[in-house]
């Protein structure tokens, strides 16, 4: 195979000469070269890529003739052909002789062609030149090209002519014998010879050759070329690229051409793949024989464009016949100089060459091999410039056909082994061109062939992480909470979790150059760009997670990569790299999040991918193994025990189970493993470990090599001896190998091999002092059972150890160690399997769960530190995408942390609430806005506003996923609410709470801007300032503060918080629990005042504001009420929420009520209402009992109860509104009535209390029972007593009537009097329930009568002395009806007789008291009369029954005494008239009834008769004679005597 060669006549250095200005054909050679590099005629890439060829305006035959004349004309001017005959030039003369001979020179050949224009091979004129035989057409021009006698300009003209033929489509795919012509042309241009003239002209020829080769391979005829031709042409082009003596422009042009040709060649590989279909192996097998027949050996140095070895092709090459034919042609006898024509059949003699198969896998593989070999960093013949060129060409090849390369074993093996090995060494170079090229190729290689590069990819990425991940803390910045970037790893996670994170131990990574170390800033930037390019592959990070993070023996590359990008996105990374690194990493990180977000809406594809549950199990197992290996490396027994407890090791007492794990895992330190196995106490483990090896058929050194590559040999001699002894026994355990006497011989030989290994590879030992074979064999004389080992056996061992060290892990760092580690990596590739491509979203949830922390931390930090709008936009999008991902996959921790970060940035959720002491309300035309410290500060902070909007956009719709994040959202709600920036949002209808809205704190001042708008001027401003200063008021907010507040209002409105509240009302149980617990967690601790912290430097609030004055008690905090109300609404939403959350909310409410002394009365009052509302909803459950709740409320002091009256009574009313167990339980509680009595003392709640009493007593059904009967009557009596205020109106009416002609005007209706009157009526109505109560009572009948009748009579009698006449009259009426009730008396007992001694008598006695009389002097006299009349009436009503009672006489005498006192009270004339009349009536009735008759008529009533008149004689002496005149006229002694 040959290439372009300089002619022998010229010096090798002539072509390399460069001239500042050399004129060729009257022009500048350099300019000629530049022109030709861009000549459209020469640019065959465009020529052959066109769908239609360039049309020719001239006759094609004439064109060819012209080209022939041009070449011959140039040759004629050459000294060698200056004396040629005219006939040779004109093509004239006899044709005789052309039949049997060939042109003797290129010029004569051209002349012959010129004479044959227009004729075909038979000598007849040809109508179409395109049907002319192509090899014959090109033959004379190829002679010129191959001739060493021509000069550079002549060769150039021949090349131009051929180029035109292709460009004008004179030679096309339809041309006859095009395949042969292409082979001939390829051979000619790669064996081009010409006389050197000057370097510029010579390089023009080379440039034309490049362009022609480029056109041939890239054009339609390129597929007809054979493997040999392609290799020759690529060898020629590559040689030009690598010849440093050629000009820079030519080498660059050669590189460009090589790129184009490689594109075409590797595109051919894809076509071969399509043609082969599923039978790629068959194609590989069919071309296996041709693989070794095509070889490329480009000249990479020297003066020639080809290697000297190519100058004399061997006979084994397929093109040798072609060379010989061409050479024979050039050396044929001279043509008859007088002939003008020749027979074309004779001229085109090379028809005997057999057709060549189109190029295929052999040439492509050879080209790929040569390019890869150029990268060998240890080949000193290859310069960095050559490597850069090779990298560029390889990159193009991978870009075009990377996936196809991975499918062909012959190409894939090159990529997996040599290419990766060289690249991973070149990437350590400090030469930026090498580094960038290597990274570019690695990126393309991994992007296209990563399925077969699983371990290679891990090795490269581990190195990148080691190089780029800074191990320094993130610097603290003022104003940025360090908690925001808590999740960013300080070191690669997988490299700190265990001793092994890549396919080789840590120190072996150093051998491979994967230890990172110091790299220049530009190098770091280049590596970051490479990582970013890989990360931009949508499925790349998923594949890392599935193939590495979820495999036990692989590193956590996905976590490492995310941690790397996250850490380097921080601005401080620019200090050890460049300023471009942080944005590049941030972009890659956002891209990673973006890809996951884009896949959210994709359908989940599981088929063909690993099972997600299995991956989770593997990942969990991996964590356990890492933890166990770490423990083992620290303390072996503890590690084994832990691994056994986690079922990683089946049985810790079984040595086989233990050593299988230790040998199989890559995470145990090899040094620790060696120490563990060599301990005397662990001999059983050492034996089991050796049993895992199969030494059969191996020499001692080979077996020892296998053993010592699995752990590090200890340094102590006794430990080494123990291992060697066990090894010797194991080696000879099955059968003693041939040539070995016994295990003792193996023992000595093993020691000798270890010593030899140390001796041969000790870097501190000079070569002349190293052990020779003779020394080695001498040391082993007679140790093989008394005999010597076979010399050949020892020689093989010596040679093996000398050439290839037994590499003990963790010890060496030279090339041999690299080769060893690389070999180990390749051995593991089969067991590791291919990398799984993951074009699916089924793994996104687990992957994001493992990596979200550094992502969110980075976004938070960048958000706080960035100043560019574009960055803000990207970060906001990133937050939004992270939130959508977390919500979609229910990653609550991630969403909670996002909320924490955004709320922290938003500044609205501080742990200590901002002060509200300076809150000022500004009113303008009916609209108002609250200017507060928080609103002003927030309105000035654009980042905080942006973060808040993003926060609530994240929260909206994702409420069900949030857990701990509610804590920060609640803080924001509270701060916004107390500063009047949001309403409560939750309306009473939503929670069925019949309670007014939560009151806010009164602002420190209210300013009406509309009123002040008319006031202007310096004086008014000054006076306003002085007045506020004198009053100690805060200054009026400035326009800027007002504007900031309005910005805050707009921002909050744009958050659409109402939508969130609408959603949380419908939250499911688990999410709702988190919200309620977060709400309750914001409550102040018990026994600590619920106050708002006021900064000391702020002025004190206005002391006139009672709600804000500490002197008047605890300061009111609306936030506490907000929490309690929202929690209550959520808890009583439905039955399930009551059951789930009622207990916690109830305990919180009771805590606030119990701590009432330290809470504001508004807070306490509303807490009471919430608690009662909760009680109403949860009475079916045991966690909240009515008696306990009522007792808690009744235990409050009177002042607190009075302040809480309205809300308390409202809550009680709701609880007892409907009949049921709760109503009965509450109304039967003494605390219920105690609360009512305490509350009714205040006027505000009296009406509501009375409604409750009405509901309980006379409601349907009534709730009066034996337990609450007396309490109800007492409370009704209190209402009646309260009506005494009506006497004032009555007395005023009396005075007014006296002034107005004595007419008495009826006083206006008074609500209190009306309630009192109703209370009397209710008390009377209760008399109807007394019989049932007595009947249901478990008391004795006599005791029951007293228990249930006495409260009614006591209440009525007490109201009979009420100063209010209306109440008094109704009470008397009710009392009379009650006393006359048929249910009152019974023949079974006499308790009813107590109505006189306990009811009527005390009543009259009270009426006789002066103070009672003075309470209503006008009306009380009438009341006394009514009382006297009532007494007499009741006595007469029960006279018959009383007559049967033994105590009647005493009762009657007591009545007479009472009447005596009434008559002689001296406080009015009415009694003096009424008493005698009443007594007359009684006496007459008693007399007619036979109870009061003279003794002679009924002696048994004598005492009654005598005592009656005796008592009456004291105050009514004339009554006896008036009533009984006949008896009075009798001479007998009067009874009064």
């Amino acid at each position: 195979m040959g290439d372009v060669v300089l002619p022998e006549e010229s010096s090798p250095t002539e072509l390399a000469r460069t001239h500042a200005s050399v004129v060729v054909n009257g022009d500048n050679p350099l300019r000629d070269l530049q022109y030709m590099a861009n000549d459209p005629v020469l640019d065959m890439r465009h020529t052959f890529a066109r769908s239609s060829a360039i049309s020719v305006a001239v006759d094609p035959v004439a064109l060819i003739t012209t080209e022939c004349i041009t070449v011959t004309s140039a040759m004629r001017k050459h000294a060698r052909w200056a004396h040629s005959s005219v006939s040779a030039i004109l093509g004239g003369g006899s044709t005789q002789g052309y039949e049997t001979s060939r042109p003797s020179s290129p010029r004569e050949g051209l002349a012959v062609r010129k004479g044959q224009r227009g004729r075909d091979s038979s000598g007849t004129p040809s109508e179409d030149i395109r049907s002319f035989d192509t090899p014959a057409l090109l033959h004379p021009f190829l002679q010129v090209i191959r001739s060493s006698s021509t000069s550079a300009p002549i060769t150039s003209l021949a090349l131009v002519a051929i180029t035109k033929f292709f460009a004008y489509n004179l030679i096309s795919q339809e041309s006859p014998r095009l395949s042969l012509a292409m082979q001939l042309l390829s051979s000619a241009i790669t064996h081009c010879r010409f006389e050197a003239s000057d370097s510029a002209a010579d390089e023009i020829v080379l440039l034309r050759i490049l362009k022609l080769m480029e056109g041939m391979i890239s054009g339609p005829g390129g597929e007809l070329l054979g493997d040999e031709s392609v290799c020759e042409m690529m060898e020629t082009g590559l040689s030009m690229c690598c010849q440093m003596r050629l000009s820079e422009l030519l080498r660059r042009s050669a590189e460009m051409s090589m790129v184009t040709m490689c594109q075409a060649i590797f595109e051919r590989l894809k076509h071969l793949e399509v043609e082969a279909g599923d039978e790629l192996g068959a194609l590989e097998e069919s071309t296996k024989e041709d693989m070794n027949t095509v070889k490329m050996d480009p000249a990479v140095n020297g003066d020639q464009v080809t290697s000297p070895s190519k100058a004399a092709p061997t006979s084994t090459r397929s093109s040798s016949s072609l060379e010989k034919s061409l050479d024979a042609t050039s050396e044929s006898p001279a043509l008859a100089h007088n002939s003008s024509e020749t027979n074309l059949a004779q001229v085109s003699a090379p028809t005997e060459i057999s057709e060549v198969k189109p190029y295929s896998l052999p040439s492509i593989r050879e080209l790929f091999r040569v390019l890869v070999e150029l990268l060998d960093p240890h080949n000193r013949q290859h310069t960095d410039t050559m490597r850069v060129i090779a990298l560029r060409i390889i990159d193009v090849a991978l870009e075009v056909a990377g996936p196809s390369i991975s499918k062909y074993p012959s190409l894939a093996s090159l990529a997996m082994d040599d290419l990766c090995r060289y690249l991973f060494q070149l990437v350590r170079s400090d030469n930026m061109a090498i580094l960038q090229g290597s990274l570019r190729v690695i990126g393309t290689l991994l992007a296209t062939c990563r399925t077969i590069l699983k371990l290679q990819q891990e090795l490269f990425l581990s190195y990148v992480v080691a190089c780029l991940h800074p191990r320094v803390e993130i610097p603290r910045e003022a104003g940025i909470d360090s908690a925001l970037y808590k999740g960013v790893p300080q070191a690669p996670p997988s490299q700190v979790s265990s001793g092994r994170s890549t396919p080789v131990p840590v120190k072996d990574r150093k051998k491979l150059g994967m230890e990172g170390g110091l790299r220049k800033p530009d190098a770091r930037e280049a590596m970051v760009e490479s990582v970013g390019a890989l990360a931009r592959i949508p499925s790349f990070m998923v594949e890392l997670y599935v193939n590495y993070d979820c495999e036990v023996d692989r590193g956590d590359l996905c976590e490492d990569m995310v941690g790397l990008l996250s850490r380097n996105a921080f601005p401080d990374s620019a200090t050890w790299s460049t300023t471009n690194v942080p944005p590049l990493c941030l972009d890659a990180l956002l891209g990673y999040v973006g890809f996951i977000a884009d896949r959210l809406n994709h359908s989940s594809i599981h088929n063909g991918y690993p099972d997600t549950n299995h991956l989770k199990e593997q990942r969990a197992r991996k964590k356990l193994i890492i933890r166990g290996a770490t423990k083992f490396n620290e303390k072996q027994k503890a590690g084994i025990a832990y691994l056994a407890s986690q079922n990683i090791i089946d049985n810790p007492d079984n040595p086989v189970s233990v050593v299988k794990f230790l040998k199989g895992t890559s995470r145990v330190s090899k040094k620790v493993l060696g120490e563990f196995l060599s301990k005397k106490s662990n001999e059983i483990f050492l034996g089991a470990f050796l049993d895992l090896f199969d030494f059969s058929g191996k020499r001692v050194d080979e077996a020892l090599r296998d053993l010592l590559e699995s752990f590090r040999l200890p340094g102590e001699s006794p430990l080494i001896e123990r291992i060697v002894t066990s090894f010797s026994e194991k080696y000879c355990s099955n059968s003693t190998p041939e040539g070995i006497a016994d295990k003792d011989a193996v023992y000595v030989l093993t020691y000798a091999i270890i010593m030899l290994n140390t001796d041969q590879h000790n870097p501190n030992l000079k070569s002349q002092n190293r052990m020779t074979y003779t020394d080695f064999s001498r040391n082993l004389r007679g140790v093989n059972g008394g005999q010597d080992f076979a010399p050949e056996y020892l020689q093989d061992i010596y040679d093996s150890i000398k050439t290839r060290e037994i590499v003990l892990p963790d010890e060496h760092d030279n090339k041999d160690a690299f080769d060893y580690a690389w070999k180990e990596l390749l051995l593991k590739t089969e067991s590791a399997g291919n990398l799984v491509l993951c074009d699916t979203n089924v793994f996104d949830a687990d992957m994001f769960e493992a990596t979200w922390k550094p992502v969110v931390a980075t976004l938070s930090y960048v958000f706080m530190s960035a100043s560019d709008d574009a960055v803000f936009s990207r970060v906001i999008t990133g937050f939004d995408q992270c939130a959508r991902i977390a919500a979609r996959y229910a990653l609550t921790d991630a969403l909670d942390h996002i909320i924490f970060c955004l709320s922290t940035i938003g500044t609205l959720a501080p742990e200590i609430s901002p002060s509200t002491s300076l809150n000022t309300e500004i009113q303008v035309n009916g609209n108002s806005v609250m200017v507060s410290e928080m609103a002003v500060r927030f309105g000035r902070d654009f980042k905080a506003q942006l973060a808040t909007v993003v926060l609530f956009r994240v929260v909206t719709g994702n409420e069900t996923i949030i857990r701990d994040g509610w804590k920060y959202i609640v803080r924001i709600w509270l701060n916004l609410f107390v500063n009047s920036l949001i309403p409560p949002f939750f309306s009473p209808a939503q929670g069925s709470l019949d309670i007014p809205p939560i009151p806010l704190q009164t602002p420190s001042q209210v300013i009406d801007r509309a009123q002040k708008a008319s006031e202007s001027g310096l004086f008014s401003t000054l006076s306003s300032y002085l007045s506020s200063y004198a009053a100690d008021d805060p200054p009026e907010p400035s326009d800027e503060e007002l504007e900031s507040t309005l910005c805050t209002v707009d921002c909050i409105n744009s958050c659409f918080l109402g939508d969130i509240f609408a959603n949380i009302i419908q939250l499911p149980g688990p999410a709702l629990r988190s919200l309620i617990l977060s709400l309750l967690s914001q409550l102040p601790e018990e026994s600590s005042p619920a106050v708002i912290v006021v900064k000391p430097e702020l002025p004190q609030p206005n002391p006139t504001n009672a709600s804000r004055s500490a002197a008047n008690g605890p300061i009111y905090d609306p936030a506490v009420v907000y929490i309690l109300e929202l929690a209550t609404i959520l808890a009583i939403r439905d039955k399930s929420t009551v059951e789930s959350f009622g207990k916690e909310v109830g305990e919180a409410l009771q805590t606030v009520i119990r701590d009432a002394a330290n809470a504001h009365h508004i807070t306490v009052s509303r807490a009471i209402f919430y608690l009662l509302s909760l009680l109403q909803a949860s009475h079916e459950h045991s966690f909240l009992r009515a008696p306990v709740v009522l007792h808690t409320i009744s235990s409050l002091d009177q002042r607190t109860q009075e302040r809480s009256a309205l809300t308390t009574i409202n809550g009680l009313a709701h609880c007892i509104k409907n009949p049921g167990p709760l109503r009965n339980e509450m109304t039967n509680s003494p605390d219920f009535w105690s609360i009512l009595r305490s509350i009714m003392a205040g006027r505000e709640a009296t009406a509501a209390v009375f409604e409750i009493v009405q509901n309980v007593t006379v409601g349907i059904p009534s709730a009066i029972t034996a337990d609450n009967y007396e309490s109800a009557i007492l409370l009704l009596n209190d209402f009646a007593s309260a009506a005494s205020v009506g006497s004032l109106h009555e007395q005023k009416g009396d005075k007014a009537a006296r002034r107005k002609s004595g007419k008495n005007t009826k006083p206006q209706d008074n609500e209190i009097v009306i309630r009192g009157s109703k209370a009397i009526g209710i008390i009377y109505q209760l008399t109807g329930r007394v019989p049932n109560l007595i009947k249901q009572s478990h008391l004795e009948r006599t005791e029951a009568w007293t228990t249930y009748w006495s409260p009614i009579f006591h209440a009525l009698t007490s109201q009979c002395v009420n100063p209010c006449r209306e109440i008094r009259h109704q009470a008397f009426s009710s009392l009379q009806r009650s006393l006359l009730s048929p249910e009152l008396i019974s023949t079974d007992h006499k308790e009813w007789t107590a109505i006189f001694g306990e009811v009527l008598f005390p009543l009259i006695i009270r009426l006789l008291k002066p103070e009672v009389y003075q309470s209503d002097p006008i009306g009380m006299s009438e009341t006394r009369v009514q009382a006297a009349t009532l007494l007499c009436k009741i006595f007469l009503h029960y006279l018959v029954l009383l007559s049967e009672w033994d105590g009647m006489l005493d009762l009657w005498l007591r009545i007479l005494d009472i009447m005596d006192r009434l008559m002689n009270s001296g406080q009015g004339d009415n009694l003096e008239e009424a008493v005698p009349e009443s007594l007359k009536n009684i006496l007459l009735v008693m007399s007619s009834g036979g109870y009061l008759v003279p003794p002679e008529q009924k002696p048994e009533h004598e005492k009654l008769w005598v005592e009656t008149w005796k008592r009456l004689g004291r105050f009514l002496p004339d009554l006896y004679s008036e009533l009984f005149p006949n008896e009075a006229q009798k001479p007998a002694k009067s009874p009064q005597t």
Side-chain angles (χ1 to χ4, degrees), residues 889-906:
Y889 297 124
L891 303 177
T892 57
D893 291 343
L895 191 58
D896 287 341
H897 192 73
I898 291 171
I899 292 172
F900 160 72
C901 293
L902 290 173
S903 61
T904 302
I905 299 170

Side-chain angles (χ1 to χ4, degrees), residues 892 895-897 899-900 903 909 951-952 955-974 1059-1061 1063-1065 1067-1082 1126 1130:
T892 57
L895 191 58
D896 287 341
H897 192 73
I899 292 172
F900 160 72
S903 61
L951 168 63
F952 287 106
V955 172
T956 305
N958 298 327
E959 294 85 358
T960 57
I961 312 299
I962 302 172
R963 294 294 181 268
D964 295 339
W966 284 120
K967 176 172 61 176
Y968 309 102
I969 299 172
V970 167
R971 287 181 188 172
I972 295 176
W973 288 345
L974 297 178
D1059 296 342
I1060 297 177
F1061 280 94
N1063 292 337
I1064 66 174
I1065 293 298
L1067 280 181
L1072 197 58
R1073 168 171 291 279
S1074 300
L1075 173 55
I1076 290 177
L1077 294 179
S1078 297
L1079 282 167
L1080 299 181
S1081 69
Q1082 300 302 311
L1126 180 55
L1130 296 175

Side-chain angles (χ1 to χ4, degrees), residues 862-867 872 905-906 941-948:
V862 174
F863 194 103
M864 289 291 289
S865 60
S867 58
F872 278 131
I905 299 170
D941 192 342
F942 174 72
K943 288 183 181 179
Q945 297 175 42
L946 201 58
T948 302

